[in-house]
Amino acid sequence: MREGSGQSGCRVVSPCWIRAFVLGEVPLAIALWRPREAATRQELALLKRVGRTRRLFAFLRTYRMLIFDDAFQAELEGMYRQTGAGLPPVPPAQMAMAMILQGYLGVSDAEAVELTVVDLRWQMVLDRLGSDEPAFSQGALFDYRERLIRTNMDRRLLERTIEVARETRAFDWKKLPKELRVAVDSSPLVGAGRVEDTINLLAHAGRKIVGCAAELLGWPAEKVAKQAGIPVLLGSSVKKALDVEWSDGKAKAEALSRLVEQLDSLEGWLRRRLGEELKAPPLSEHLATLEQIRGQDLEPDPSGGGKMRIREGVAEDRRISIEDAEMRHGRKTKTKRFNGYKRHIATNLDTNLILACAVTPANRPEGEALPDLKADIESSQQVIREIHVDRGYIASTAVAEVLAAGGDVVCKPWVSRNGELFPKSDFKVNLRDMTIACPAGDIQSIRPGSVVEFDAEACDGCSLRVQCTTAAPGTGRTISIAEDEVLQQRLRRRMKTGRGRERLRERVAIEHSLAHISQRQGNHARYRGARKNQYDLRRAATIQNLERIQRRIDERKAA
């Protein structure tokens, strides 16, 4: 058998080459995906039909070999070891295309496998028309997703869409700025984990420990619970097992004490029965989760007796779910709360293509996502010349880096309010001399990140005092000077001009992009954990970019 190309597009090699590979003399190369280029009569009919609805199928069929060219397929191949271990039965590029289709239709892994058999559109794009066998197994799809995440190739898939936009000439790149004008925005993403109160969190963590111990010992979970002295976990509900009037504070405290005593009994039993196993995952991880919940939600009862009570107030960075350890409480507004994550996207304002994505716990400031977004953008040798953000991002170190590199920041300034009294905007800030003058003309020195207090005697005798402050006599008016006061003053001056307000309105484009992402991905997380949800966000952004490229190509053809 000579080396050549078989009907499947996979390389055929000689027995001698195979023997050399088995002996470890030659690494095994993964076959490239080589779908047919010319459309068959059946494909032409399908292309005509999908041209009216679900048009991305037609685009993917037409441009699949441009998207997954040899160079990009070689990058995808790099996710696999060259020893032959874990060799995929399906070319990585074909699997990547299947994951795009899965995200496009929003289907589960199991349904995606079946659609490779029963949906002609999937078969056409994957070059499997007429096949009555699945293109891959559900396990293979799961494994491929894990590889993408582990190697950060989901980021490269998104970056590849920007390259495809250039290669297809979907935009007139000669007329676009060489350096980027980027906009950044975020929206809530409700987590997939169940949010529970303290009692249920403690019980859930206890059940995970009991279940793990039962698996290690080969026992039923009920036997472990009985021997470990934690019978409250035998029922379907811990609150049902504790059986108290939960509106009665004293009864609730007694129920908590019973639960804590039984959890202590469980921990003691584990140390006696599974001491060695406690030192390693997964049992050590489950015990650490329980300790985390106890530490964040309980505190010593001041009445004494060594008892614990539910903590007054909320612990910083409080864990709210056992199944998803990274979910947090967050706020969309002062009155609207959500549980889960914030998803962030960065777009090119001149093309409306999404450049980078990030997912952070809901309680983290928006500005924490910006350095990662900026790093992802710059990893493809792109320079940010101008960045449009809202006030939540303005304190980020990435903003300072853009300014230091000679770039510009476009953002609404903080609005100074002081009821019916003089706001900060009525004071004249001189950043050259680093001074501030009050409406009456009194001048004080300033420095970034400080609070300035005007002379108390001057304020007491000032005719404008009643319009300026309600402070007690002997106390002067205070004004806060921001760390980024220079930037804030620049933004305020820009806000007063028509051109400045016009530049602020350019950011509306990313709000539309984010709305489309929310519609495509949904507002509820598909996966648990920030990284897997970042993968899902990057996939949704990849699909959105491909649809944007398709529309631009169609517009240029029609022009």
Side-chain angles (χ1 to χ4, degrees):
M1 182 170 60
R2 62 183 180 85
E3 185 173 351
S5 180
Q7 292 181 349
S8 64
C10 299
R11 188 170 60 179
V12 179
V13 296
S14 68
C16 293
W17 192 96
I18 294 174
R19 179 177 178 275
F21 164 72
V22 172
L23 293 175
E25 299 168 2
V26 181
L28 181 60
I30 299 172
L32 297 179
W33 187 33
R34 298 294 191 198
R36 66 172 63 89
E37 295 186 16
T40 65
R41 183 178 300 179
Q42 185 182 12
E43 287 179 321
L44 290 172
L46 286 170
L47 288 169
K48 185 176 180 180
R49 297 195 70 85
V50 299
R52 291 191 290 270
T53 60
R54 293 291 185 180
R55 297 172 59 245
L56 189 63
F57 281 106
F59 178 83
L60 294 175
R61 167 59 183 88
T62 304
Y63 290 95
R64 60 191 177 191
M65 290 316 298
L66 175 64
I67 298 170
F68 296 101
D69 61 11
D70 286 1
F72 187 46
Q73 289 202 47
E75 291 185 59
L76 292 171
E77 180 182 337
M79 296 190 298
Y80 295 85
R81 294 178 294 174
Q82 294 298 305
T83 62
L87 186 67
V90 181
Q94 194 176 26
M95 291 291 290
M97 181 66 86
M99 302 206 85
I100 291 174
L101 295 177
Q102 181 188 26
Y104 184 47
L105 294 187
V107 298
S108 66
D109 288 359
E111 189 173 357
V113 172
E114 294 306 313
L115 287 173
T116 65
V117 179
V118 302
D119 192 319
L120 291 176
R121 299 170 303 178
W122 279 61
Q123 290 198 331
M124 174 183 68
V125 173
L126 297 177
D127 194 36
R128 292 183 56 82
L129 278 172
S131 175
D132 57 2
E133 293 292 332
F136 43 77
S137 67
Q138 187 173 337
L141 192 60
F142 173 85
D143 177 72
Y144 188 81
R145 179 169 57 246
E146 293 297 305
R147 287 179 186 272
L148 277 178
I149 293 171
R150 188 166 58 248
T151 59
N152 214 24
M153 282 300 292
D154 53 335
R155 188 193 74 185
R156 272 297 294 137
L157 188 59
L158 177 59
E159 292 172 351
R160 179 64 188 142
T161 63
I162 310 301
E163 298 165 1
V164 169
R166 290 186 177 277
E167 292 167 16
T168 58
R169 298 181 181 178
F171 301 88
D172 191 344
W173 295 97
K174 292 182 180 179
K175 295 181 179 180
L176 297 179
K178 291 184 179 180
E179 295 179 324
L180 291 173
R181 297 192 316 124
V182 174
V184 180
D185 204 359
S186 67
S187 67
L189 184 65
V190 178
R194 186 172 67 198
V195 178
E196 299 173 300
D197 62 17
T198 298
I199 298 292
N200 282 306
L201 281 173
L202 290 168
H204 196 158
R207 282 197 177 93
K208 298 289 282 188
I209 293 173
V210 168
C212 183
E215 187 173 342
L216 290 171
L217 293 168
W219 294 0
E222 293 78 6
K223 181 179 178 180
V224 172
K226 289 177 181 177
Q227 290 211 7
I230 187 163
V232 291
L233 299 186
L234 292 173
S236 59
S237 166
V238 65
K239 289 189 174 180
K240 179 181 177 181
L242 290 169
D243 192 24
V244 299
E245 176 53 56
W246 293 99
S247 61
D248 183 333
K250 184 177 180 181
K252 183 177 179 179
E254 291 175 353
L256 176 64
S257 295
R258 285 170 53 200
L259 177 58
V260 170
E261 287 172 4
Q262 293 189 27
L263 287 169
D264 289 340
S265 174
L266 172 63
E267 288 191 44
W269 182 85
L270 287 171
R271 298 187 194 287
R272 293 191 302 273
R273 191 70 176 75
L274 294 169
E276 288 301 314
E277 289 80 352
L278 271 177
K279 299 176 183 178
L283 191 54
S284 63
E285 294 174 344
H286 293 314
L287 186 59
T289 296
L290 175 59
E291 293 303 323
Q292 180 185 8
I293 301 303
R294 294 178 69 151
Q296 71 177 21
D297 281 9
L298 302 181
E299 64 182 5
D301 192 326
S303 63
K307 294 185 177 181
M308 304 297 287
R309 72 174 186 181
I310 295 177
R311 178 192 294 268
E312 291 187 359
V314 179
E316 184 180 357
D317 201 36
R318 179 176 181 266
R319 181 169 177 172
I320 59 176
S321 174
I322 297 298
E323 297 298 337
D324 189 337
E326 297 176 275
M327 284 176 54
R328 294 294 184 268
H329 291 308
R331 290 191 180 276
K332 186 175 182 182
T333 65
K334 287 184 178 180
T335 58
K336 189 173 182 180
R337 193 174 74 173
F338 68 98
N339 302 309
Y341 300 95
K342 293 175 185 174
R343 58 184 161 200
H344 311 255
I345 63 170
T347 64
N348 182 334
L349 279 174
D350 296 301
T351 63
N352 283 334
L353 294 174
I354 300 174
L355 304 173
C357 303
V359 172
T360 59
N363 66 335
R364 304 313 304 161
E366 276 82 356
E368 288 188 5
L370 198 52
D372 289 340
L373 292 170
K374 181 173 177 286
D376 282 359
I377 293 170
E378 293 176 344
S379 68
S380 54
Q381 309 305 312
Q382 299 181 90
V383 178
I384 299 175
R385 175 174 62 88
E386 185 175 297
I387 186 165
H388 294 238
V389 296
D390 65 21
R391 290 188 289 256
Y393 294 95
I394 199 68
S396 172
T397 56
V399 169
E401 290 171 0
V402 171
L403 290 171
D408 195 11
V409 174
V410 180
C411 176
K412 281 186 178 181
W414 292 105
V415 179
S416 59
R417 293 188 176 92
N418 196 28
E420 296 181 355
L421 303 178
F422 291 138
K424 180 180 176 180
S425 56
D426 286 340
F427 290 69
K428 295 180 180 179
V429 178
N430 187 328
L431 294 172
R432 179 180 300 175
D433 298 334
M434 296 302 287
T435 61
I436 184 170
C438 75
D442 188 33
I443 299 175
Q444 297 289 329
S445 298
I446 62 172
R447 57 184 176 82
S450 67
V451 176
V452 176
E453 182 176 353
F454 284 83
D455 182 71
E457 289 186 12
C459 286
D460 284 346
C462 181
S463 61
L464 299 178
R465 181 180 177 86
V466 294
Q467 298 173 258
C468 187
T469 181
T470 58
T475 304
R477 170 69 187 268
T478 59
I479 295 288
S480 295
I481 306 300
E483 285 284 358
D484 60 349
E485 189 68 33
V486 174
L487 175 60
Q488 290 293 332
Q489 292 295 327
R490 183 194 308 170
L491 296 177
R492 289 190 181 99
R493 289 194 300 270
R494 183 180 292 167
M495 186 77 170
K496 296 177 180 179
T497 68
R499 173 56 182 156
R501 292 189 293 273
E502 182 183 351
R503 292 181 70 190
L504 284 172
R505 288 192 291 271
E506 290 183 280
R507 193 172 173 278
V508 171
I510 192 174
E511 294 173 358
H512 293 166
S513 295
L514 195 57
H516 289 309
I517 283 288
S518 297
Q519 185 178 26
R520 181 184 308 283
Q521 192 186 21
N523 291 322
H524 288 76
R526 186 184 185 96
Y527 301 103
R528 294 169 181 161
R531 183 60 184 91
K532 285 188 177 180
N533 282 304
Q534 183 185 34
Y535 152 79
D536 195 41
L537 179 57
R538 283 173 170 171
R539 178 173 61 176
T542 295
I543 296 166
Q544 192 152 306
N545 281 356
L546 292 173
E547 288 188 320
R548 172 71 175 149
I549 294 167
Q550 181 182 29
R551 286 194 299 271
R552 287 290 302 174
I553 291 174
D554 292 345
E555 289 169 4
R556 290 176 71 87
K557 287 180 179 178

